[in-house]
Amino acid sequence: MFDFTHDGHVHTPFCPHGTKDPLEQYIQVGIENGLQTITFTEHAPFPASFIDPVPNRDSAMSIDLLPDYLDTLHQIKKQYQAVIDIKVGLEVDLLPHLEKETIALLKPFAPLLDEVILSQHFLYVDGTYMPIDYSAETFDELVSALGSFENVMKAYYESIEQGLAFSWKDIRVARIGHLDLPIKYQKNYDWKRSEVKKEEERLLQVIADRGFGLDFNTAGLRKPDCGEPYIAGLAKAASELHIPFTLGSDAHLAKDVGADFDMIAQKKATFL
């Protein structure tokens, strides 16, 4: 079920809200942690009509940097081919109402991509895009706007379900990222997963029907208000639908590549 030699969700110095740790450092840490494959998945550029709602507007790299990013990764892939398998990827935002524009923007680059993660970081609420994981304060604004933590979870699942109707495989989407991202702040709220079970089950069935995998994302373990991997609470239901998982550290720092994979290996039975 888990391949502990593959980190399928790793960021790079091209991330405007990450660090400038060099790619070589990310790769070296991965090798030291026993990885045989790393998929680099930098935040893909947004369509021109989308205005990033976070204060620094630094959620993704610009379209001007995308060719350089791809060229750099292909050089690194070739340089390390005898040592470790480098896969060239992106983390693409599922932006409600801008799905077609996103696919059209990135489709010309698809032949240069090995695999892509599709993730949602914003919800569209009353005509406004609101960030999900920027900060505890902005997330609380989202909870206030929708009425409860459970309502945020339901809206998140429903938005992804609707978005999956588009042609994501045209841009090499292989799996869905951190499927329950709002739990990043779950310790700040008294909520019950049982109240969103219907929406979870419906979305997992859509994912299974569309043939996508899931990002089993260990970054949640490093978030103080979360305390568990993203999709840990969904893993059993997903496995029953034969949805494949790919472990991902979601590393924005070189030291986090392959982070917590040993813990997942030791406790995998508790997730499934």
Side-chain angles (χ1 to χ4, degrees):
M1 182 59 70
F2 293 110
D3 178 359
F4 295 99
T5 68
H6 180 193
D7 190 336
H9 190 155
V10 179
H11 291 274
T12 73
F14 286 84
C15 180
H17 59 265
T19 67
K20 296 304 178 186
D21 291 349
L23 282 166
E24 291 83 358
Q25 188 176 351
Y26 282 88
I27 294 168
Q28 187 58 43
V29 171
I31 293 170
E32 291 170 358
N33 284 337
L35 298 182
Q36 296 176 11
T37 307
I38 295 175
T39 304
F40 285 106
T41 53
E42 197 46 76
H43 293 286
F46 297 131
S49 59
F50 178 74
I51 305 300
D52 189 352
V54 308
N56 293 330
R57 295 187 178 177
D58 61 353
S59 297
M61 66 176 152
S62 71
I63 188 65
D64 294 340
L65 287 178
L66 183 55
D68 188 25
Y69 166 78
L70 294 171
D71 183 58
T72 299
L73 280 190
H74 278 281
Q75 290 182 41
I76 288 284
K77 180 185 178 85
K78 184 176 181 180
Q79 179 182 341
Y80 283 89
Q81 62 185 348
V83 182
I84 189 169
D85 182 18
I86 302 298
K87 293 187 181 296
V88 180
L90 290 169
E91 182 175 17
V92 173
D93 259 85
L94 195 166
L95 298 170
H97 306 293
L98 293 175
E99 296 93 345
K100 289 182 179 179
E101 289 86 342
T102 299
I103 293 168
L105 176 69
L106 299 175
K107 192 171 180 179
F109 301 95
L112 299 174
L113 298 167
D114 295 316
E115 57 187 32
V116 167
I117 296 174
L118 180 67
S119 300
Q120 184 164 251
H121 298 93
F122 307 96
L123 270 177
Y124 193 71
V125 181
D126 295 331
T128 300
Y129 289 97
M130 300 183 70
I132 295 160
D133 64 333
Y134 179 74
S135 71
E137 292 74 22
T138 57
F139 183 79
D140 201 54
E141 293 174 6
L142 186 56
V143 172
S144 296
L146 294 178
S148 70
F149 186 94
E150 287 88 348
N151 285 348
V152 172
M153 294 293 287
K154 290 177 182 180
Y156 189 76
Y157 292 145
E158 289 168 355
S159 180
I160 294 175
E161 180 184 350
Q162 292 168 12
L164 289 183
F166 293 84
S167 303
W168 296 107
K169 289 193 175 180
D170 287 353
I171 56 169
R172 305 289 178 91
V173 169
R175 54 190 171 274
I176 312 304
H178 41 61
L179 191 66
D180 54 358
L181 182 61
I183 71 166
K184 180 176 180 177
Y185 302 110
Q186 65 179 344
K187 291 184 179 181
N188 298 333
Y189 304 89
D190 182 18
W191 77 288
K192 295 180 181 178
R193 187 179 286 272
S194 60
E195 294 188 15
V196 300
K197 186 176 181 181
K198 180 177 69 174
E199 289 78 12
E200 286 180 346
E201 290 178 344
R202 190 171 64 233
L203 175 56
L204 288 174
Q205 187 63 61
V206 170
I207 290 169
D209 291 345
R210 293 294 309 276
F212 293 118
L214 287 174
D215 170 41
F216 194 99
N217 190 307
T218 64
L221 289 165
R222 305 192 298 276
K223 308 301 181 184
D225 296 329
C226 181
E228 63 179 279
Y230 298 120
I231 82 155
L234 306 174
K236 188 175 187 301
S239 65
E240 290 172 352
L241 292 170
H242 306 290
I243 298 172
F245 302 127
T246 301
L247 283 170
S249 65
D250 209 341
H252 287 71
L253 302 163
K255 70 179 182 63
D256 288 337
V257 176
D260 305 302
F261 284 17
D262 287 345
M263 187 279 285
I264 302 297
Q266 293 167 14
K267 297 185 177 182
K268 61 182 180 179
T270 64
F271 303 124
L272 302 176

